[in-house]
Each structure stands twice: as C-alpha cells, then as structure tokens.
C-alpha cells in the first residue's frame, strides 16, 4: 500500500469523522449570541449569520451529514447486492427483466429531481432523506453489481459448482461475491462521494433539515452572504465535506493498489519457471557439488593413467 496515499487519506477521513462523531459530546451548551459575522470576543472561528459560535456549530453539524450519507450508502448496497446477484446468476430471462427494468425507470430520473419531487409532497426528516438518497442510488449500484457478477458467473468454475450440487447461496456469496469485491470497493468509494454530495446538496436546499439546523451544508448555505466579511463560517464546513470525500477515495484507491500488488506477486510466484528464491540456493549448491565430484573423478582418472605399469 502506498504509505503517503494511505496516511493522507486516513488523515482526511479521520478529522471530519472525529468532529462528526465526537463533536456533539464536547460542544457544550450554547453561549450568549454576539453580532452576526464577527471575529474575536471569545469566538475563535467567529460567529455565523445569527451570531452563534461557528466552532460550536461545526462540532454539532457533522453528525447529520455523515450519518445520513453512510446510512444511505449502506441501504443502497443492501438492496442492490441481492438484486444484482440474482439477475446475474439466474437462467430465467423473465426474472431478470422483472428485477432490472423497474430500476431502469428510476435511472432515467435525475437523482436531485427525484428528491425535490418527493420533498414537494411531504417534508422528509433525516431518516426520510437517507431513504430517498438510497432509493436513487439503488439502480446504479444494482447494475454495477450485475455487470461484475455476470462476468464471474460465465466462467467454467461457476458451472462446475452447479454440477457439483452446491447451493445457490454458496455460489453467489462464497464464489461470485468474493470475486467482485475489488470492483465493488472501487464503486463504494465513488458512490460514497456522490452520496455525500447529494446529501449536502439536499441540506443546502433545505430538504430533510431545518433552515437553522446545525449542519455543515446548511452552514455553507446560510452563511454565504457573509463570505467576504467572516469567511470561516463557510470555509471550515465546506473544507470538512471536501476532506471527507477526498479521504474516502484515497483510502479505497490505496486498498485497491495493495490488492493488485498482492495478486501480481502471487501470479509471479505461480508462473511457470518461477522458482522461489529460497529454493535456488540448494540447486546452486548441488551444481557445485556435482562439479567438484566431476573434477575429483577426472583427477583420479589422470592419476591412474600416469601410474607406471608393472
């Protein structure tokens, strides 16, 4: 694993995660409000558009974004994985069409437009926003799972497992599921970034959160009018969202590079003519012993030839 990439990704992820998960525990109670968009006066990151302490809002505002994004991503894969695996492994065309065609209809509607349409009918809370974001991500995730699993399911090894009488669960999860972990890991990094962007955009538009809620995306939206007067109220939450998305991608990329390097090393060891380094020394020793034995035999033969005959 590239150490620099891993360390940078871990740092970028740990900082916003720590603030999101531990921030509400150390935020303390609300202090007296000051003037809007001011610096100093005991507020080392200044105040926001209604005079609240920006640092306290940062500590309180990460948990909604992170929890909703992680929940939505997990829910999307919880539905997409069985749909994609069943569609890839089934031999019944009607079942595959029944499972995948409704997802194509959802895929035709832009994600943000779908959320706005639902939000115009009723006001979703944090749980409703997580369900909506998961719903719009299921079609993409299911198609990626199906494409990756269909490639593995077409291999002779899967047909051999079927002929041996292995259960569908063992084939789908034990063999096909393990074989598609790398493409799924790559997709998970990209999808989590997209989910974070979608959750932040929805919160920016006031969907799923109150207009004055302690939320990083809401902070960016409500404080942008004072960007040039007190920039920390906008810059700090925006940087935390960017750091979380970049860190996730760097960590997944580093993990994939490590997996690829391990596979390459295993292939080199198993290649024809490839001999482990520990096995080469005895071969050289044996060759040297053979050469020494041959030299001794030749010397003995020469000595016998030079002896005078009686």
């Amino acid at each position: 694993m590239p150490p620099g990439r891993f360390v940078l990704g871990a740092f970028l992820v740990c900082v916003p995660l720590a603030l999101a998960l531990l921030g509400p525990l150390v935020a303390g109670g609300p202090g007296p409000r000051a003037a809007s968009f001011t610096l100093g006066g005991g507020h080392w990151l200044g105040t926001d558009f209604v005079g609240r302490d920006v640092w306290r809002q940062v500590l309180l505002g990460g948990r909604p974004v992170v929890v909703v994004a992680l929940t939505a991503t997990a829910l999307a894969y919880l539905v997409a994985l069985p749909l994609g695996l069943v569609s890839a492994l089934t031999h019944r065309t009607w079942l595959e069409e029944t499972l995948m065609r409704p997802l194509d209809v959802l895929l035709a509607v832009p994600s943000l437009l779908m959320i706005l349409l639902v939000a115009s009918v009723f006001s979703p809370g944090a749980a409703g926003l997580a369900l909506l974001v998961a719903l719009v991500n299921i079609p993409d995730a299911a198609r990626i799972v199906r494409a990756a699993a269909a490639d593995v399911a077409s291999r002779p090894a899967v047909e051999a497992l079927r002929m041996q009488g292995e259960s569908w669960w063992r084939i789908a999860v034990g063999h096909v599921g393990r074989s598609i972990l790398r493409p799924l890991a790559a997709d998970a990094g990209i999808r989590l970034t997209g989910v974070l962007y979608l959750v932040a955009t929805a919160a920016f538009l006031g969907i799923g959160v109150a207009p004055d809620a302690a939320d990083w995306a809401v902070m960016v939206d409500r404080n942008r009018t004072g960007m040039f007067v007190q920039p920390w109220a906008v810059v700090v939450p925006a940087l935390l969202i960017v750091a979380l998305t970049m860190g996730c991608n760097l960590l997944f990329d580093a993990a994939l590079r490590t997996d690829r390097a391990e596979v390459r090393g295993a292939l080199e060891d198993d290649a024809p003519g490839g001999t482990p380094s520990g096995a080469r020394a005895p071969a050289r020793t044996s060759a040297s012993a053979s050469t020494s034995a041959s030299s001794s035999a030749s010397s003995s033969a020469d000595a016998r030839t030079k002896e005078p005959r009686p």
Side-chain angles (χ1 to χ4, degrees):
M1 180 179 295
R5 189 185 298 267
F6 174 76
V7 171
L8 179 59
F11 175 76
L12 290 177
V13 168
C14 287
V15 170
L17 276 182
L19 289 176
L21 299 178
L22 302 178
L25 302 178
V26 299
R33 297 194 179 188
S36 302
F37 298 128
T38 59
L39 290 171
H43 308 286
W44 65 287
L45 284 182
T47 59
D48 63 359
F49 69 108
V50 291
R52 296 174 299 187
D53 183 70
V54 170
W55 175 240
R56 184 175 182 274
Q57 294 299 108
V58 168
L59 293 175
L60 295 174
R63 185 173 291 184
V65 176
V66 173
V67 171
V68 170
L70 292 177
T71 304
T73 305
L75 288 175
Y77 279 111
L78 189 63
V79 178
L81 276 172
L83 287 178
L85 288 174
V86 170
S87 300
L89 293 172
T90 185
H91 291 293
R92 298 178 178 87
T93 306
W94 64 268
L95 179 58
E96 182 180 359
E97 294 293 325
T98 302
L99 293 175
M100 299 305 295
R101 293 295 78 80
L103 299 182
D104 292 340
V105 176
L106 286 176
L107 194 61
V109 183
S111 302
L112 188 58
L113 179 59
M114 173 73 74
I115 293 176
L116 290 174
L117 288 175
V118 175
S120 64
V121 178
F122 65 92
S123 179
L129 181 60
L131 290 175
L132 282 175
V133 174
L135 178 65
V136 299
N137 277 275
I138 287 173
D140 285 336
R143 291 180 70 89
I144 289 175
V145 173
R146 177 185 173 276
D151 180 59
V152 179
S154 63
R155 297 174 184 172
V158 176
E159 192 62 31
L161 290 174
R162 284 198 182 102
M163 295 177 65
Q164 290 175 4
E166 296 289 350
S167 64
W168 184 92
W169 179 263
R170 183 176 177 81
I171 296 174
V173 179
H175 181 73
V176 178
R178 287 192 304 172
S179 300
I180 63 174
L181 284 179
R182 289 185 66 241
L184 285 185
D187 178 66
I190 300 173
R191 191 161 307 282
L192 181 58
T193 301
V195 167
L196 281 168
Y197 166 77
L198 195 57
V199 170
T201 304
F204 183 84
L205 297 175
I207 300 173
V209 294
D212 59 344
D215 185 281
W216 288 346
V218 175
M219 290 178 66
V220 174
D221 176 37
R222 296 294 182 262
N223 296 311
R224 56 192 171 90
T225 55
M227 174 69 182
F228 298 102
V229 179
Q230 208 288 78
W232 299 118
V234 177
V235 172
V236 172
L239 285 179
L240 289 171
I241 295 174
V242 172
L244 186 58
T245 57
M246 287 182 60
C248 290
N249 277 325
L250 287 174
L251 284 180
F252 278 108
D253 186 55
L256 290 175
R257 285 175 180 268
T258 301
D259 190 18
R260 189 161 53 245
E262 291 176 354
V263 171
R264 189 184 299 116
L267 291 176
E268 289 175 355
D269 290 340
D270 295 338
T275 309
S277 58
R280 290 172 185 161
R284 287 195 296 269
T285 304
S286 301
S288 302
S290 301
T291 305
S292 301
S294 301
S295 301
S296 301
S298 301
S299 301
S300 301
D302 293 342
R304 286 194 300 269
T305 304
K306 292 178 182 179
E307 290 178 357
R309 296 183 179 179

